[in-house]
């Protein structure tokens, strides 16, 4: 999730503020401790520690992964033979049972056996690691014989979504996958063409205004484009616009703020004001599990909401501290938003 120390929600509706404040805890989760255990840095592994803490506070992931996996539950045909999922499940279980910080050696070793750069204790980009981890966990789930129910429909968006689910099925998809539609509209002949794409995260440029909100960044990301170089297939003119929409929102929306300039790699130190996402494209989300911070030193930390008590904690590798809910900083880098119940 993202927040700002001085930021306030744009939507000040009393009912919605009250709903956010009284967010219902997730029942039935194995999170009985006051807070999750910290993770020792193994030498520049803060990026993976922060990602793991965010995942460890995401209710659907806890439900599906915080357990030991028997061989029949794993996809042994994946590149990892199901072992990353198995090690990840053991790690989550330890995070919510160990009383003190510990070192996730076996998990890191298993990751490094397939992708060396994530196993050699060098600093890596946390977003790249999150994307890699989600893909490997997805591949390791054994759902190869399962197919979602097909609904008879003429809705192109739903047909495209069902085709995707027929090919890719896992709790990772159920939690993080969404669908975007891009529509090309010719202003001369009114010809319309649509294209559907799957996404598991959105990478947002930070809006240029003085105190941008997360909503500003989303609206900029999905703004209408004028296609100067696109030729309409129907009439041959170059008079088209491109609009974006979301046909399927994921259960947990993951947002990355582009904090580094493409020209000189300088960090963009700007506060992005977070709020509950009520109105954007019918998006109904509250700040959920975490805000991952990328500090000037290259160090990564995570701020996470306890899944059953709603109390916020700050995870700086092995150090864990209780904090207030107002936890946003100009270092916020990756944010998690959960669908409202």
């Amino acid at each position: 999730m993202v927040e700002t120390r001085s930021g306030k929600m744009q939507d000040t509706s009393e009912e919605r503020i009250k709903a956010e404040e009284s967010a219902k805890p997730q029942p039935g989760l194995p999170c009985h401790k006051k807070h999750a255990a910290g993770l020792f840095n193994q030498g520049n592994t803060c990026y993976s520690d922060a990602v793991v803490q965010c995942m460890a506070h995401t209710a659907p992931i806890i439900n599906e992964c915080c357990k030991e996996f028997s061989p029949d539950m794993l996809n042994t045909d994946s590149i990892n033979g199901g072992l990353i999922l198995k090690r990840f499940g053991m790690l989550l279980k330890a995070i919510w049972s160990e009383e003190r910080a510990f070192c996730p050696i076996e998990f890191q070793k298993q990751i490094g056996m397939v992708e060396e750069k994530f196993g050699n204790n060098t600093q890596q980009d946390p977003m790249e690691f999150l994307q890699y981890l989600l893909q490997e966990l997805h591949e390791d789930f054994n759902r190869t014989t399962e197919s979602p129910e097909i609904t008879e429909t003429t809705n192109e968006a739903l047909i495209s979504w069902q085709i995707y689910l027929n090919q890719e099925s896992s709790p990772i998809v159920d939690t993080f996958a969404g669908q975007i539609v891009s529509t090309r509209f010719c202003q001369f002949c009114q010809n319309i063409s649509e294209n559907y794409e799957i996404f598991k995260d959105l990478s947002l440029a930070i809006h240029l205004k003085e105190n941008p909100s997360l909503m500003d960044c989303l609206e900029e990301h999905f703004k209408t484009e004028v296609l100067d170089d696109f030729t309409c297939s129907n009439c041959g003119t170059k008079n088209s616009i491109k609009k974006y929409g979301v046909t399927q929102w994921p259960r947990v929306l993951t947002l990355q703020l582009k904090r580094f300039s493409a020209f000189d790699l300088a960090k963009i130190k700007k506060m992005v004001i977070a709020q509950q996402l009520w109105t954007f494209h019918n998006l109904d989300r509250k700040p959920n599990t975490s805000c991952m911070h990328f500090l000037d030193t290259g160090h990564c930390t995570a701020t996470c909401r306890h899944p059953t008590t709603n109390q916020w904690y700050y995870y700086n590798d092995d150090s864990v501290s209780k904090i207030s809910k107002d936890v946003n900083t100009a270092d916020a880098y990756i944010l998690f938003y959960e669908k409202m119940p």
Side-chain angles (χ1 to χ4, degrees):
M1 101 122 261
V2 212
E3 306 167 83
T4 319
R5 293 202 182 279
S6 59
K8 298 182 184 297
M9 296 195 312
Q10 286 187 342
D11 190 328
T12 56
S13 155
E14 288 187 10
E15 288 186 4
R16 288 176 173 175
I17 292 175
K18 191 174 180 181
E20 181 186 2
E21 294 295 336
S22 60
K24 294 180 181 179
Q26 300 279 358
L29 297 178
C31 309
H32 308 301
K33 289 172 51 190
K34 181 189 244 183
H35 60 74
L39 299 172
F40 282 109
N41 193 324
Q42 300 174 64
N44 296 313
T45 60
C46 58
Y47 71 94
S48 59
D49 288 351
V51 167
V52 167
Q53 290 292 4
C54 292
M55 294 282 282
H57 288 76
T58 302
I61 296 303
I62 299 171
N63 275 324
E64 295 290 344
C65 300
C66 193
K67 55 189 174 185
E68 295 182 12
F69 289 87
S70 60
D72 63 301
M73 299 167 68
L74 303 171
N75 178 15
T76 55
D77 292 329
S78 75
I79 190 171
N80 307 301
L83 293 180
I84 285 185
L85 175 56
K86 185 176 181 178
R87 288 296 181 190
F88 184 69
M90 294 170 66
L91 176 56
L92 291 197
K93 191 174 181 180
I95 283 175
W96 286 111
S97 60
E98 294 287 344
E99 292 301 323
R100 296 181 178 85
F102 65 96
C103 196
I105 296 175
E106 295 302 321
F107 172 73
Q108 204 75 34
K109 185 186 299 183
Q110 187 63 52
I111 289 285
M113 289 178 66
V114 179
E115 186 57 65
E116 183 179 357
K117 70 178 180 180
F118 294 135
N120 59 11
N121 294 344
T122 59
Q123 180 65 43
Q124 302 294 332
D125 179 67
M127 190 67 206
E128 186 178 348
F129 177 72
L130 174 61
Q131 292 169 335
Y132 171 78
L133 178 60
L134 290 180
Q135 182 59 33
E136 298 309 307
L137 293 175
H138 164 68
E139 295 290 344
D140 277 0
F141 270 104
N142 187 7
R143 275 197 183 176
T144 53
T145 60
E146 296 184 22
S147 296
E149 182 179 346
I150 301 299
T151 304
E152 292 188 12
T153 179
T154 57
N155 185 319
E156 292 295 327
L158 186 55
I159 291 172
S160 178
W161 180 247
Q162 289 180 337
I163 290 173
Y164 170 71
L165 294 182
N166 272 325
Q167 299 168 340
E168 306 287 343
S169 180
S170 75
I172 301 302
V173 167
D174 297 343
T175 302
F176 292 101
Q179 184 186 59
I180 291 174
V181 58
S182 58
T183 304
R184 290 189 178 96
F185 174 73
C186 178
Q187 299 180 87
F188 185 77
C189 71
Q190 284 75 56
N191 183 55
I192 295 176
S193 62
E194 293 181 333
N195 183 56
Y196 298 94
E197 297 179 11
I198 300 298
F199 71 96
K200 293 190 180 75
D201 57 74
L202 296 176
S203 186
L204 307 179
I206 296 178
H207 200 281
L208 296 177
K209 68 186 290 187
E210 180 65 25
N211 293 303
S213 67
L214 193 58
M215 196 74 76
D216 292 326
C217 299
L218 279 165
E219 288 176 347
E220 179 70 18
H221 184 79
F222 285 100
K223 70 180 180 181
T224 298
E225 296 180 36
V226 177
L227 303 176
D228 296 327
D229 299 328
F230 177 75
T231 301
C232 176
S233 59
N234 185 56
C235 67
T237 65
K238 293 184 177 181
N239 191 27
S240 296
I241 59 174
K242 189 175 184 179
K243 295 183 177 181
Y244 296 91
V246 179
T247 54
Q248 295 280 348
W249 284 106
R251 181 174 176 182
V252 175
L253 175 62
T254 305
L255 304 172
Q256 176 194 23
L257 295 176
K258 295 180 180 179
R259 289 235 171 252
F260 298 94
S261 168
F263 302 103
D264 56 11
L265 298 182
K267 186 177 178 182
I268 301 172
K269 292 281 292 182
K270 184 181 286 191
M271 193 81 75
V272 176
I273 301 173
Q275 67 281 333
Q276 204 149 330
L277 303 177
W278 293 104
T279 58
F280 183 79
H281 287 262
N282 297 317
L283 175 59
D284 195 13
R285 293 291 190 276
K286 68 176 183 297
N288 176 35
T289 56
S290 45
C291 169
M292 193 181 302
H293 307 283
F294 206 152
L295 308 182
D296 288 339
T297 57
H299 184 60
C300 297
T301 63
T303 302
C304 304
R305 181 173 64 88
H306 194 290
T308 60
T309 68
N310 290 326
Q311 174 61 53
W312 289 90
Y313 290 90
Y314 181 64
Y315 294 88
N316 185 358
D317 290 326
D318 56 301
S319 175
V320 182
S321 55
K322 184 177 179 180
I323 56 175
S324 68
K325 201 186 80 167
D326 190 14
V327 293
N328 287 330
T329 73
D331 294 310
Y333 182 52
I334 302 175
L335 313 102
F336 289 68
Y337 274 77
E338 181 184 7
K339 185 176 182 180
M340 293 290 288

